[in-house]
Amino acid sequence: MHDKTIAQLAAGLAQREFSSVELTTALLARIKARDGELNAFITVTEELALAQAQAADQRIQAGSAAPLTGIPLAQKDIFCTNGVKTSCGSKMLDNFIAPYDATVVRRFNEAGAVMVGKTNMDEFAMGSSNETSFYGPVKNPWDLAAVPGGSSGGSAAAVAARLVPGATGTDTGGSIRQPAALCGITGIKPTYGRVSRWGMIAFASSLDQGGPMATTAEDCALMLEAMAGFDTRDSTSADLPVPSYQATLANDIKGLRIGLPKEYFGEGLDPAVAKVIEQAIDEYRRLGAEVVEISLPNTHLAVPTYYVVAPAECSSNLSRFDGVRYGYRCEAPKNLEDLYKRSRGEGFGPEVQRRIMIGTYALSAGYYDAYYLKAQKLRHLISDDFKRAFTQVDVIMGPTSPTVAFNIGEKTADPVTMYLSDIYTIAVNLAGVPGMSLPVGFVEGRPVGMQLIGNYFDEARLLNVAHKFQQATDWHARLPEAFKA
Amino acid sequence: MALERSDVLNIAHLARLAIAEQDIPEYARNLSNILDFVAQMEAVDTTGVEPMAHPMDASQRLREDQVSETDERAHFQAIAPATEAGLYLVPKVIE
């Protein structure tokens, strides 16, 4: 059953080919047998999953099932889950049992989905390789020597190895799209405000956005429909209706105008990755799309701008972790300042501390204008690039990441080198537009992801455009050799 | 931008982070590299460009000032490192 999509599993449950308890039991056994190789899960919630599966089976029997009722899914360990450890990949929250459910979790619960566990991630979602997790690195199912990408690396690896058919991710600078690309799966970062951030542990609040990760665009559509929507508890939640993403999945894309930003195909892009992307673009030409070259002239400013905005917001958000109300507290504090400093110094790992310090510096007296204000102005220029582009084209396409998955340990020595692996994804968060990654081929056995970028709240079109590609190709259906059985 | 040892110590103090003595040189090097990298921003003339604080240029929503949450003090304090009589305990602040 592990190689079926969410849509196929939902059909199987509806036709009583198997029960949710049978399905959940099978996947829990698969996680138990295989996750030792990957380290994709921080917590497996076996008891809860089986109770939810039983309830789902009753709901299916009663004829009141929703599309995700009885489907086993995993939650990134950044989403608060009532009564279940929510670590955010950090020693700081290793003892944190969330006292409430994130809105996203509540919505999946209401839909009758089954939560099998919480997935590993870079500490506080700060990383592009899943190597900053307190719980150790996650391995890429396509090659255990390679990183799965990050920060939603556990979710990506779990889906790629078919330990679960779908999982949630969050994306502040590429943390859904880059691991989806590196693990050969499909993931979408919705428009800023589309999915509630309530109960999703904050990293950079003006950039953070949750979204689904699965094997197909169709499954992402099913999950996003359950996740998305207005939430009064998130002050930046968009008060707009959620369309039926499934209803438009199969729309014809003849005449679709695709823009290829010339800045996404220049220096720094691995030529072998470029070739795979060009072949995928050719597939779109065969499907009747028109392809034009466009320019996003401020692309080179995105990573530097991001590494001011994101650390500044992170330094503010993470000030709440002070050893007083929850989370890690140091042993025998001498005084209150010692309690703050040692709890934070011992509770946070090096990358989180670096970002807190960069943000603290950028926001400190005398530097605010030169860093944060300057970055916010550049953010406007970057955002205007997209607004201009979407007057000419319907979607933008290019590589998700400049290379395929790199090896564990390869980029840990220099933070800036690691930051550049998000060079094509970061501008999307700064602008707030939706972006997606879908698998389009391989370079030396490691998956290549293509990025689709859409206009504000145009998720339905991205999912449609990705689905049409997946109807014509089978890259999304490939499994890593070691995880076929 | 080369940060000195004293800069790193000052930033760490502002951020309330205790950092180990032997890690200071590496922090100085890494943080300096990051600041050099973001210095690319300076090359761009942003005269007349409005700062962007929110992707949709939206402002904060207002709501009615009414009670919407129930008291969950005991529930939330159950995960606290130290509490007494409904209060969070910290080392003595005033002698």
Side-chain angles (χ1 to χ4, degrees), chain A residues 248-279:
Chain A
T248 50
L249 270 183
N251 282 3
D252 197 3
I253 58 165
K254 271 200 186 64
L256 178 84
R257 289 169 304 163
I258 298 172
L260 304 184
K262 61 175 189 230
E263 294 81 4
Y264 285 28
F265 291 87
E267 200 190 332
L269 176 62
D270 179 341
V273 171
K275 203 173 148 200
V276 172
I277 298 294
E278 279 154 23
Q279 285 163 357

Side-chain angles (χ1 to χ4, degrees), chain A residues 341 344 353 357 360, chain B residues 6-19 31:
Chain A
K341 284 186 171 176
R344 290 164 61 76
Q353 298 201 16
M357 286 199 271
T360 300
Chain B
S6 59
D7 297 320
V8 174
L9 288 172
N10 182 43
I11 297 167
H13 169 69
L14 291 174
R16 298 295 184 271
L17 285 171
I19 55 174
L31 298 180

Side-chain angles (χ1 to χ4, degrees), chain A residues 61-116:
Chain A
Q61 288 292 339
S64 58
L68 292 177
T69 303
I71 302 291
L73 298 171
Q75 293 286 350
K76 183 177 181 179
D77 210 17
I78 198 169
F79 288 100
C80 285
T81 41
N82 193 6
V84 175
K85 174 167 136 175
T86 301
S87 74
C88 222
S90 181
K91 179 181 176 185
M92 181 60 85
L93 292 177
D94 183 48
N95 62 1
F96 180 65
I97 307 296
Y100 67 101
D101 278 326
T103 296
V104 161
V105 173
R106 181 177 53 79
R107 288 189 187 209
F108 278 120
N109 286 343
E110 283 167 5
V114 172
M115 183 177 86
V116 294

Side-chain angles (χ1 to χ4, degrees), chain A residues 99 192 329 341 374 376 380, chain B residues 13 44 50 56 75 89:
Chain A
Y192 181 78
R329 174 182 282 199
K341 284 186 171 176
K374 182 79 180 181
Q376 280 191 310
H380 222 140
Chain B
H13 169 69
V44 187
E50 282 291 307
M56 253 63 73
H75 184 207
L89 293 188

Side-chain angles (χ1 to χ4, degrees), chain A residues 253-258 284-291:
Chain A
I253 58 165
K254 271 200 186 64
L256 178 84
R257 289 169 304 163
I258 298 172
Y284 274 108
R285 286 196 179 93
R286 283 193 286 279
L287 290 167
E290 294 168 32
V291 180

Side-chain angles (χ1 to χ4, degrees), chain A residues 5 16 34 147 160 166 230 245 263 290 360 395 401 444 451:
Chain A
T5 66
R16 312 288 202 274
R34 304 305 304 273
V147 302
F230 180 58
Y245 297 119
E263 294 81 4
E290 294 168 32
T360 300
V395 291
S401 189
E444 289 171 7
Q451 184 173 214

